[in-house]
Amino acid sequence: MSLNLYDTMAREKRPFVPVDPKRVTMYVCGPTVYNYAHIGNARPVVVFDVLFRLLRHTYGEEAVLYAANVTDVDDKINAKAQAEGVEIDVITQRYLDIYNRDMATLGALAPTFQPRATQTMDAIIEMIGRLVDKGAAYAAEGHVLFSTESYPDYGQLSGRSLDDMIAGARVDVAPYKRNAADFVLWKPSKPGEPVWDSPWGPGRPGWHIECSAMIEQTLGLPIDIHGGGNDLIFPHHENELAQGVCAAHGCEAGHGGDYARYWMHNGFLNFGSEKMSKSLGNVVLVHDLVAQTPGEAVRWALLVGHYRAPQEWSGELLEQARKSLDRLYGALRRCADVTASTDAPSSKFLAALEDDLNTAQAMAELFALASTIETGDDEARAQAKGELLASGALMGFLQADPEAWFQGGADPELKARVEALIAERIAARTAKDWPRADAIRDELNALNVVVMDSADGATWRLREPSSSED
Ligand code: AMP
Ligand code: ZN
């Protein structure tokens, strides 16, 4: 089988064929860095990380270029900087560092490029100039606007017509707009906001143009895959596409595929049947979650459902994710003495991911491999162990030492208690206080902890609930 991806533009699954298999390119719209990321923001990161890994597996690690940008010019960043009385880059660098650490905890590989709007300003201004020269944009009252009428294919990605958009536009359309649907490429900065010089006066870029300029600068057109959450289809990606095509080719119709060849959008993560959003105040922060739960379990929870479907976030979802990983790490622990006979993922696992990232089916295949490890003959176990580790790696799972997983799976309080009891038990044994040492062993047993004594001291692990070993 080969890779098929659902393309938002075509509205169907299509076989994936890159422009150049030696240089496969993907761009995903990243966060605005002014606060901690919520778990919804992590969904595109984890989903497109799976795709990144799959592409690397297929085309070779060096052949895949993945750019995930950071928006570091924004009203919310300005507001936060003003509130704290610092420069904006103090805010953006702080939250970018936290974001990168938190996403690494979720097992996301670092993208090849992480371009930032503030570091792309020359390319942004140059691109706006090209749009003005081609008659696709016009300057008015210190602003530069994209002229949606100049691009006959406008609306192609989201399936909206320009007439509908004009009819739906709010009544208070800015007077300098020729058409209600026209959008900002450049605008004057308000007092106290960061400002850059441009041929149209001092100011700052609009949001959409940043991504188009970063794509041209880091990857070049056309890119193979453009991704993001489905809230970005309109207006962000529609506008990116229009200005990207017009700047590169001119505005005539028929160039829609020359910007990005496949558009992919993840569904939203909801919380209590509402969309998780900072303005609704119902956010769960990744930073808080990974302080209490292994990042791998959070990652699993984010991949249980199909990436295009909406997903409800809940404590039970996370608990279930942890149990699933207990089951798989338990199987790996029970075949610690088996030498894997392959380092390739199973073909069924690969086929599931290649079917538009069917992660649920891929996970079912991981469980099937775990069953083979438990019930198969020696040859089958050696094969299944290798396939489970390689398949897990391809999805960003199962790379920890199984013993470490079962310790890491213990909550910090339990962990501290177990470690104190073990230290006490060592002291009791050194003092030859055998009754005390035995009592501590019973206490640990009651906590579901198995202690393994060795020449170098003692190690411990939790029994997984499904296991019947004593
Ligand atoms: P933002 O910082 O809001 O611009 O979002 C960064 C990325 O996260 C974008 O690709 C959004 O589409 C995506 N995103 C934001 N909120 C959610 C959510 N609740 N569920 C899934 N994706 C989201
Ligand atoms: Zn973008």
Side-chain angles (χ1 to χ4, degrees), residues 120-138 144-146 150 185 199-200 209 212-217 220-221 242-251 259:
T120 318
M121 214 45 81
D122 291 348
I124 292 173
I125 291 168
E126 184 277 328
M127 194 173 186
I128 297 174
R130 238 185 303 146
L131 288 166
V132 173
D133 291 347
K134 291 188 175 179
Y138 55 94
V144 182
L145 294 131
F146 182 85
S150 72
L185 301 173
W200 315 281
I209 193 75
S212 293
M214 287 190 260
I215 285 177
E216 274 197 354
Q217 193 174 58
L221 295 185
Q243 69 208 0
V245 165
C246 290
H249 300 281
C251 294
Y259 182 68

Side-chain angles (χ1 to χ4, degrees), residues 27 29 69 207 211 226 232 236-237 240:
Y27 181 90
C29 295
N69 80 295
W207 171 34
C211 282
H226 195 317
L232 300 184
H236 184 54
H237 288 166
E240 256 194 51

Side-chain angles (χ1 to χ4, degrees), residues 445 450 461 463 467-470:
N445 210 22
V450 184
R461 60 180 168 80
R463 275 188 218 100
S467 154
S468 56
E469 66 188 308
D470 55 35

Side-chain angles (χ1 to χ4, degrees), residues 6-322:
Y6 183 90
D7 176 11
T8 307
M9 176 91 103
R11 292 164 180 76
E12 63 181 8
K13 272 190 223 175
R14 297 202 289 127
F16 177 70
V17 184
V19 182
D20 175 0
K22 294 196 193 62
R23 192 177 177 284
V24 181
T25 54
M26 174 163 83
Y27 181 90
V28 175
C29 295
T32 306
V33 277
Y34 69 102
N35 209 334
Y36 291 94
H38 64 63
I39 185 70
N41 298 133
R43 193 173 193 201
V45 176
V46 166
V47 163
F48 289 101
D49 179 67
V50 171
L51 182 55
F52 183 37
R53 288 168 184 263
L54 180 61
L55 293 170
R56 283 157 58 103
H57 175 80
T58 309
Y59 296 97
E61 286 188 8
E62 301 303 315
V64 186
L65 302 180
Y66 172 25
N69 80 295
V70 172
T71 295
D72 60 357
V73 186
D74 180 86
D75 288 343
K76 298 184 214 88
I77 297 172
N78 296 334
K80 185 119 181 171
Q82 282 177 7
E84 289 193 20
V86 295
E87 298 292 317
I88 59 165
D89 53 358
V90 174
I91 300 293
T92 55
Q93 196 60 51
R94 180 198 304 158
Y95 290 106
L96 177 58
D97 289 345
I98 294 171
Y99 176 82
N100 282 337
R101 276 199 299 274
D102 287 343
M103 297 307 137
T105 310
L106 300 185
L109 301 175
T112 326
F113 307 106
Q114 191 173 49
R116 299 169 62 159
T118 53
Q119 293 166 0
T120 318
M121 214 45 81
D122 291 348
I124 292 173
I125 291 168
E126 184 277 328
M127 194 173 186
I128 297 174
R130 238 185 303 146
L131 288 166
V132 173
D133 291 347
K134 291 188 175 179
Y138 55 94
E141 297 183 26
H143 293 69
V144 182
L145 294 131
F146 182 85
S147 165
T148 44
E149 271 171 346
S150 72
Y151 182 50
D153 280 343
Y154 189 73
Q156 193 181 18
L157 177 66
S158 59
R160 298 176 190 220
S161 81
L162 195 52
D163 288 344
D164 289 348
M165 287 185 253
I166 294 165
R170 281 172 293 147
V171 264
D172 55 343
V173 175
Y176 46 79
K177 284 193 182 180
R178 288 185 194 159
N179 186 310
D182 293 354
F183 56 89
V184 167
L185 301 173
W186 189 262
K187 60 182 172 186
S189 303
K190 298 194 194 87
E193 286 183 349
V195 59
W196 287 266
D197 278 332
S198 87
W200 315 281
R204 45 182 275 220
W207 171 34
H208 317 301
I209 193 75
E210 294 171 9
C211 282
S212 293
M214 287 190 260
I215 285 177
E216 274 197 354
Q217 193 174 58
T218 55
L219 299 174
L221 295 185
I223 54 169
D224 290 308
I225 297 167
H226 195 317
N230 63 13
D231 58 321
L232 300 184
I233 298 174
F234 186 85
H236 184 54
H237 288 166
E238 194 72 75
N239 293 350
E240 256 194 51
L241 172 62
Q243 69 208 0
V245 165
C246 290
H249 300 281
C251 294
E252 65 272 16
H255 282 293
D258 297 340
Y259 182 68
R261 291 159 52 87
Y262 298 79
W263 288 89
M264 294 178 66
H265 294 98
N266 63 272
F268 251 52
L269 197 81
N270 302 314
F271 194 66
S273 77
E274 280 194 280
K275 127 180 185 176
M276 188 179 291
S277 93
K278 286 176 189 149
S279 53
L280 289 173
N282 61 351
V283 294
V284 176
L285 302 179
V286 178
H287 197 71
D288 293 340
L289 270 179
V290 297
Q292 302 151 8
T293 316
E296 196 171 346
V298 178
R299 180 182 178 93
W300 186 279
L302 286 169
L303 292 171
V304 161
H306 195 272
Y307 77 91
R308 281 191 280 124
Q311 172 76 52
E312 180 80 19
W313 183 260
S314 69
E316 296 85 82
L317 179 75
L318 196 51
E319 196 42 47
Q320 208 50 51
R322 207 162 157 156

